[in-house]
Amino acid sequence: MSHIDAGDPPPAAAKKKSPAEEAAEKRREKLTPGSLMKAVIRSGSGDATPTDGDQVIIHCTTRTMDGIVVNSTRREHGGKGIPLRFVLGRSKMILGFAEGFPTMLKGEIAMFKMEPKIHYAEDDCPVTAPDGFPKDDELQFEIEMLDFFKAKVISEDLEVIKKIVDEGKGWETPREPYEVTARITARTADGKDILPSKEVPYFFTLGKSEVPKGLEMGIGSMARKEKATIYVSSTYLTESSLMPQLEGLEEVHFEVELVQFTQVRDMLGDGRLIKRRVVDGRGEFPMDCPLHDSLLRVHYKGMLLDEPKSVFYDTKIDNDGEPLEFCSGKGLVPEGFEMCVRLMLPGEKSIVTCPPDFAYDKFPRPANVPEGAHVRWEIELLGFEVPKDWTGLNFKEIMEEADKIKNTGNRLFKEGKFELAKAKYEKLLREYNHVHPQDDEEGKVFANSRNSLHLNVAACYQKIGEYRKSIEACNKVLDANPVHVKALYRRGMSYMLCGDFDDARNDFEKMIAVDKSSEPDATAALLKLKQKEQEIEKKARKQFKGLFDKKPGEISEVGAEAEGAKNAGDTVGSAEAVTSTDRDGSEKPSPRAEPDYAFEEERPGLIGRVWPSARRIFSSLGLNRCTIL
């Protein structure tokens, strides 16, 4: 019988140990000569031994030094016939196991003699001895190493472990609510078949409890065509249509071959806009998708969701067989359509079911699509072209490209698509961070263009009722030039719309002080401001009139009247001052036309700033905090 000790100390220059390694080394110091002895009863095969991260599967029979069996996993010794499983470096186990397992070969049977301090009598032993166990005695542990392999830990409590049998293809794995096709068999931990093999693979949807939770978690880590064994303990053996009977099962081993899965994306997170990929595309998802504004070529067929045969448009028929070409980010197709196409790979075919508010209720409606109709699109992305790269362009060429994007934003603004317009202006502002004028003349052109974009963003925020963000956009101009008349006007309007009348008055009066030519516009704005103040004062007087003349018990009625007046009246935030649009897409107050004061917006997130639906799209990807440069 050979003796096992802690081995030689590591060299002084060894790398810093992790807390787990330090704890293991501290435990190992408890080993003394003769405290752990090993005798090989049957040799194993090969020369590989288990290492940290491996799952070991063993049978164990524990005897006293007199040969009396006190505990066993084997049926012939009173056990259940269920082997024990441990993950080296992760599972809690007695010190003798932690030191003995790494010395064994696959198939080996060995006898370990352990002093009490090496098994359950160890100080701070991480595991509890079975009832009636002679933990203070020297004992013999007969171990058979059935198997060991590199474990994929699926659940942190080690109750779900995966063994990869054959590697899969690609990196993508299924998740809710993907549709999965898999061949699945199952047996108990002692080898009894409980789910026989079937010729037809099993089809199910992740997240719908159609398979036990632990199995679903394991399949969620598999790639296409991967074969694996998934070890699931009773904690994760939930009831399902696959296995309705679970009584008496402590552990199940599932043999799984992931045949195929269909990418299903809930684009809005509420089950209304669903994209199902039916034919894979070329490239890596999502890196090779048209995430940014691009020229796209697609074939598509549109039909009413409740009437699959009611095709209202088919590019292969209604467009002379030619694909639809459109530039994303310009509002040229319904929002739900564009959101889904941005997450497609070239060559991919997907089926999209879309609610009316993301289909044609906010977009020019085909003649045979009724209002409020849910639609289904079958879309094939043939290819796309990325926007022109500004690298290598001179300053004049860059500004010409910028004007094209800005003009698109202005068109979207005039069409009432303020979020899309804002995204265009913000995209330009981000690109401007990499533009460097070479002389004073270029610097002046560049500064004017950038200021115009900031003010356009401010106007977009005004239109969507986010007046504070509109003020922030104006401040980006005024911080550099405190007497910028257009920025003062735009900020003053935003102050007025959110009820900060004193700040609004200061901005309008400052306009007159710095530029006499702006006096007519500032005067008209001050007149509008005065009207707003009078309206608010009048409403306040009406709400509280007679409040303190009421007798006790009547105040609540006055409060109800005041609440009714509040609901009936308009708020300070009404945009009645805006009646038309200038050539930059800016709003104009009534009665006097607003001067040519441009407009622009804030930054929800890197991708969210590229196009307005980005936050929804990356939420559906599970990449809420993802940044794509």
Side-chain angles (χ1 to χ4, degrees):
M1 181 171 281
S2 62
H3 121 130
I4 300 176
D5 58 30
D8 296 328
K15 67 178 182 179
K16 186 177 179 180
K17 298 180 178 63
S18 68
E21 290 173 330
E22 290 179 353
E25 188 170 298
K26 189 174 181 180
R27 285 188 80 190
R28 198 173 293 119
E29 292 173 357
K30 300 174 183 178
L31 287 171
T32 57
S35 61
L36 176 62
M37 304 290 288
K38 174 186 175 182
V40 176
I41 299 173
R42 185 183 73 191
S43 299
S45 59
D47 54 9
T49 57
T51 58
D52 276 1
D54 285 357
Q55 173 168 270
V56 298
I57 303 177
I58 66 158
H59 267 306
C60 175
T61 299
T62 307
R63 297 181 176 89
T64 65
M65 297 305 293
D66 296 331
I68 298 173
V69 175
V70 295
N71 193 27
S72 181
T73 58
R74 297 183 181 277
R75 292 185 185 278
E76 60 267 30
H77 296 306
K80 296 181 180 180
I82 299 176
L84 300 176
R85 294 188 293 111
F86 301 94
V87 177
L88 296 187
R90 297 286 297 271
S91 297
K92 295 178 181 180
M93 65 183 80
I94 61 174
L95 178 57
F97 284 178
E99 296 302 314
F101 292 159
T103 70
M104 299 186 70
L105 301 172
K106 188 174 296 187
E108 177 182 326
I109 299 177
M111 181 71 75
F112 291 90
K113 186 178 75 170
M114 303 183 195
E115 292 184 356
K117 65 179 181 179
I118 304 303
H119 54 77
Y120 294 98
E122 176 193 4
D123 293 338
D124 301 321
C125 183
V127 291
T128 304
D131 292 339
F133 195 88
K135 66 177 186 178
D136 295 322
D137 296 344
E138 188 175 49
L139 298 173
Q140 294 177 336
F141 294 81
E142 181 186 302
I143 307 295
E144 180 181 4
M145 182 62 66
L146 300 174
D147 194 11
F148 63 85
F149 51 84
K150 192 60 64 179
K152 170 70 175 176
V153 175
I154 305 300
S155 65
E156 288 300 314
D157 57 7
L158 308 180
E159 297 294 308
V160 183
I161 299 291
K162 185 181 78 170
K163 172 187 178 181
I164 297 176
V165 178
D166 289 330
E167 294 284 350
K169 297 179 180 179
W171 64 271
E172 189 178 9
T173 58
R175 61 184 180 88
E176 296 182 22
Y178 282 26
E179 296 170 349
V180 174
T181 303
R183 290 188 173 89
I184 304 172
T185 60
R187 66 179 186 275
T188 61
D190 56 352
K192 294 178 182 178
D193 288 335
I194 54 176
L195 195 65
S197 176
K198 294 182 179 179
E199 291 185 7
V200 179
Y202 188 67
F203 175 85
F204 63 98
T205 301
L206 287 177
K208 291 191 175 182
S209 302
E210 296 175 357
V211 299
K213 181 180 179 181
L215 175 59
E216 186 174 85
M217 292 168 63
I219 289 176
S221 71
M222 297 177 68
R224 281 186 178 83
K225 307 301 181 183
E226 180 180 328
K227 294 181 180 179
T229 302
I230 301 172
Y231 299 80
V232 182
S233 296
S234 58
T235 307
Y236 292 89
L237 289 174
T238 55
E239 290 186 5
S240 64
S241 55
L242 177 68
M243 295 181 62
Q245 299 297 325
L246 298 171
E247 291 183 11
L249 296 178
E250 295 184 13
E251 181 179 303
V252 175
H253 301 172
F254 294 95
E255 301 289 342
V256 182
E257 178 186 356
L258 184 54
V259 178
Q260 182 58 281
F261 58 82
T262 299
Q263 183 195 71
V264 180
R265 297 204 178 276
D266 185 347
M267 302 296 295
L268 303 176
D270 57 10
R272 297 190 306 133
L273 177 58
I274 300 295
K275 170 183 175 289
R276 296 179 70 253
R277 183 174 64 195
V278 293
V279 176
D280 291 342
R282 302 180 298 275
E284 292 294 327
F285 177 89
M287 290 75 75
D288 295 321
C289 296
L291 296 172
H292 300 284
D293 293 349
S294 311
L295 175 63
L296 301 113
R297 296 183 303 280
V298 302
H299 270 306
Y300 82 96
K301 180 191 295 186
M303 61 205 78
L304 301 181
L305 182 59
D306 297 332
E307 303 175 41
K309 295 183 179 180
S310 60
V311 177
F312 57 80
Y313 194 84
D314 187 343
T315 53
K316 295 181 179 180
I317 298 174
D318 301 307
N319 200 36
D320 298 325
E322 294 296 319
L324 170 69
E325 291 193 0
F326 69 97
C327 291
S328 54
K330 295 187 176 182
L332 301 177
V333 296
E335 185 176 1
F337 189 102
E338 180 168 318
M339 286 175 64
C340 293
V341 172
R342 284 184 184 269
L343 292 183
M344 294 179 66
L345 292 166
E348 178 184 329
K349 294 181 181 179
S350 285
I351 296 174
V352 175
T353 56
C354 184
D357 52 327
F358 282 81
Y360 295 106
D361 277 9
K362 297 180 180 179
F363 194 83
R365 185 188 312 283
N368 45 358
V369 176
E371 184 177 355
H374 289 71
V375 300
R376 169 188 167 111
W377 292 303
E378 295 178 2
I379 307 171
E380 178 184 4
L381 176 60
L382 302 177
F384 65 92
E385 297 175 12
V386 296
K388 187 174 182 180
D389 188 356
W390 287 5
T391 304
L393 301 183
N394 59 39
F395 181 79
K396 181 180 178 182
E397 292 170 334
I398 288 174
M399 298 313 293
E400 287 174 352
E401 292 297 318
D403 282 341
K404 293 177 184 177
I405 299 174
K406 182 179 177 182
N407 289 337
T408 299
N410 294 346
R411 175 180 62 79
L412 293 168
F413 186 95
K414 292 172 183 178
E415 292 174 358
K417 300 172 182 176
F418 306 118
E419 287 280 5
L420 288 173
K422 181 166 65 68
K424 290 294 181 185
Y425 303 135
E426 288 184 319
K427 178 182 178 181
L428 268 181
L429 286 168
R430 290 192 301 277
E431 295 293 341
Y432 274 11
N433 292 330
H434 309 291
V435 177
H436 306 287
Q438 299 300 310
D439 53 46
D440 291 343
E441 185 61 30
E442 288 184 359
K444 183 178 179 180
V445 172
F446 182 71
N448 289 338
S449 178
R450 184 167 54 191
N451 288 340
S452 175
L453 290 169
H454 280 306
L455 296 176
N456 285 359
V457 170
C460 290
Y461 273 129
Q462 277 190 11
K463 286 293 191 180
I464 61 180
E466 298 191 35
Y467 306 122
R468 294 296 176 192
K469 292 181 179 179
S470 177
I471 292 167
E472 292 174 8
C474 294
N475 287 339
K476 292 176 182 178
V477 177
L478 292 168
D479 287 346
N481 183 4
V483 295
H484 195 289
V485 175
K486 295 181 180 181
L488 287 169
Y489 182 86
R490 179 70 60 205
R491 189 174 71 175
M493 294 298 292
S494 294
Y495 275 137
M496 181 180 70
L497 289 169
C498 66
D500 294 342
F501 297 142
D502 290 340
D503 290 330
R505 183 178 294 103
N506 290 339
D507 279 350
F508 296 144
E509 290 176 349
K510 190 172 183 180
M511 287 173 60
I512 299 173
V514 300
D515 186 355
K516 287 295 182 182
S517 66
S518 68
E519 184 171 355
D521 303 299
T523 301
L526 286 166
L527 177 61
K528 183 63 181 176
L529 176 62
K530 184 176 181 180
Q531 293 172 351
K532 281 285 184 185
E533 289 178 308
Q534 290 173 347
E535 290 173 9
I536 295 300
E537 185 179 354
K538 183 178 179 181
K539 290 175 184 176
R541 284 199 303 269
K542 183 177 180 181
Q543 286 179 358
F544 296 102
K545 181 180 179 182
L547 176 61
F548 299 104
D549 297 332
K550 294 288 181 179
K551 297 177 183 179
E554 294 182 341
I555 292 180
S556 61
E557 297 178 11
V558 176
E561 293 169 6
E563 184 65 25
K566 177 181 177 182
N567 293 336
D570 197 3
T571 63
V572 189
S574 67
E576 56 190 330
V578 182
T579 59
S580 59
T581 318
D582 70 11
R583 61 186 174 86
D584 276 338
S586 304
E587 54 186 272
K588 298 182 180 180
S590 181
R592 178 181 177 83
E594 179 184 344
D596 183 20
Y597 298 160
F599 51 86
E600 162 97 48
E601 180 240 326
E602 68 119 8
R603 308 159 74 88
L606 186 56
I607 295 301
R609 300 195 301 270
V610 177
W611 75 91
S613 302
R615 278 169 287 181
R616 297 193 191 99
I617 291 178
F618 278 88
S619 177
S620 75
L621 278 169
L623 301 173
N624 305 54
R625 304 189 180 200
C626 176
T627 57
I628 294 185
L629 303 179

